[in-house]
Every structure is written in structure tokens, then in C-alpha cells.
Amino acid sequence: MTKYIIANWKMRMTKAGAKTFVQGLAALRDLPKEASTILCPPFPLIESCLGHPSFDVGAQTSGAFLQGPYTGEVSASLLKEMGCKYVIVGHSERRVHYGETNGVVKQKAQKVLQEGMTPILCIGEPLEIYKSGQANTYLQQQLQESLPEEGPLLIAYEPVWAIGTGETPSLETIEKTHYFLTSLLKTQTPIIYGGSVTGDNAKDILGLPSVSGVLVGGASLSLETFLPIIRSV
Ligand code: 13P
């Protein structure tokens, strides 16, 4: 079964860092065949990541419209033209810092699909919801309101409290949550996990039957920390 190993570099990569990373990754010939590796760089670095058969490229977000007077936005159509195959939509950092609602996330996902790319739709509960035991209700609402009408897409379950904290839910909780999400979906959809994934926990997380991959932040910034995750597949 394919396992998606997705690097989300966020706003943390440099031009020189990306060059070293991409050259190093592209030179490897012994990556697990079941691993589908995707790099999601900041927009200006997309071009320098393209053109390598052993990994695909995605964007970290895209505009809710396909073209027009939207200063600073990047459309799904341009990302497609550039060569992106995937676009992350609804990452919690976009929701928290830029006020993206479920409705906006859905609109973005639809545009990504319209352009023939695959959205990586992120959902995840904040700490207070997790602590109150209401995570499933919260996730169900997020999913219902942000899911595009039709796929294909990937869903990334990223508990907000697990992002960049070194904390992860228990393997049992990840498994149960993924099964719960699967039960809400009409079509078979890969569900990947994100939040403090490292070379130390990747094998256990990727070994869960309901987990179709991982979305990696901090540990995706260097090959030293990212490769062990790919090799965990
Ligand atoms: P970390 O792996 O740094 O916790 O980030 C996860 C994430 O937000 C990936 O999208």
C-alpha cells in the first residue's frame, strides 16, 4: 500500500537549503517503492524542486479564486501550470493566522480539484477541544464543512496541539480517529497523520493500518531528519 510522505517546509526553507535537499534526495536510488514522497516548498522555491521522477511537488496553499485582482494570492491554475500535483489546503496555521474558515478551505479545495491537482485537506482539533473529549464532534464538523463535493483528495489529520510540540496522540488514538474519519467519508480516501512526526515515531505511526502517510513539518527540513521517515515505510 502506498504511504504518502509529505514535507511541509512552511516558511522555513532557504534557496540554498532547498538546492542541497533536492539534489541529495534526487540522487538516491534506494528509496522504498511504496513511499510516495511529496515536497511542499514556499512558492518561490517550487520551480527548483520540480523535474525529479522520485518525488512530486505540492504547494502549501492556493487562492480561493482562479484569477483576478487578489494581490499576493497564487491561483491553483498557476500552480498547475508550474507543475504542482498537490496543494495543502486548510492547514491550521492558515486557519489560525489568516482566518481561513471551513467555507474558504472548501472553496480552495474545489479550485485545486478543478485544475486537476489533489488537495491535501487538513483538519485537526485544538488543545481545549481535545481535553474536553469533543475532538470527534469538532473534526466531523470541520470535515463536513470543508470537504469538496467530489474527490480525489488526501485528508491530513493534524491535531493542532501536536504541531511543533514534540507531543503526539497515542497510537490508539490516531488509529481510532482515522477510523472515525473513514466512517464519515463516502469514498475511499487516504488519511494521513501530521504533528511531531520524526524518524523515531514514523515507523509505529506508518505501521497503523488506517494511516496512509505522514505530513511532516520540522523534521522535513533536512535530509538527515527526513530520510529516516521515508525509510520507515
Ligand atoms: P511538525 O512536524 O513540525 O509538528 O509540523 C507538522 C505540520 O504542521 C505539518 O503540516
Side-chain angles (χ1 to χ4, degrees), residues 145-205:
E145 293 179 6
S146 55
L147 196 67
E149 313 294 344
E150 284 178 13
L153 78 163
L154 306 182
I155 290 178
Y157 169 52
E158 294 204 300
V160 179
W161 54 272
I163 295 176
T165 59
E167 283 185 53
T168 60
S170 67
L171 293 173
E172 194 191 347
T173 302
I174 296 175
E175 184 76 339
K176 277 191 179 157
T177 306
H178 280 220
Y179 274 124
F180 172 68
L181 295 173
T182 302
S183 75
L184 301 174
L185 296 161
K186 289 194 202 91
T187 52
Q188 218 184 355
T189 304
I191 303 178
I192 65 176
Y193 169 80
S196 295
V197 174
T198 66
D200 291 334
N201 58 23
K203 200 164 188 63
D204 287 340
I205 294 172

Side-chain angles (χ1 to χ4, degrees), residues 116-155:
M117 298 178 291
T118 303
I120 302 166
L121 172 63
C122 299
I123 56 170
E125 79 286 356
L127 184 60
E128 61 278 13
I129 299 287
Y130 174 71
K131 280 188 174 160
S132 71
Q134 296 298 308
N136 280 0
T137 311
Y138 185 91
L139 292 169
Q140 181 165 8
Q141 186 176 357
Q142 258 193 336
L143 197 58
Q144 270 165 0
E145 293 179 6
S146 55
L147 196 67
E149 313 294 344
E150 284 178 13
L153 78 163
L154 306 182
I155 290 178

Side-chain angles (χ1 to χ4, degrees), residues 8 10 91 158 162-164 195-196 215-218:
N8 177 7
K10 307 192 181 183
H91 192 284
E158 294 204 300
I163 295 176
S196 295
L215 181 53
V216 188

Side-chain angles (χ1 to χ4, degrees), residues 9-14 40-47 58-60:
W9 287 346
K10 307 192 181 183
M11 201 177 71
R12 285 172 165 154
M13 186 54 92
T14 62
C40 299
F43 292 132
L45 299 178
I46 286 176
E47 192 130 46
Q60 297 177 15

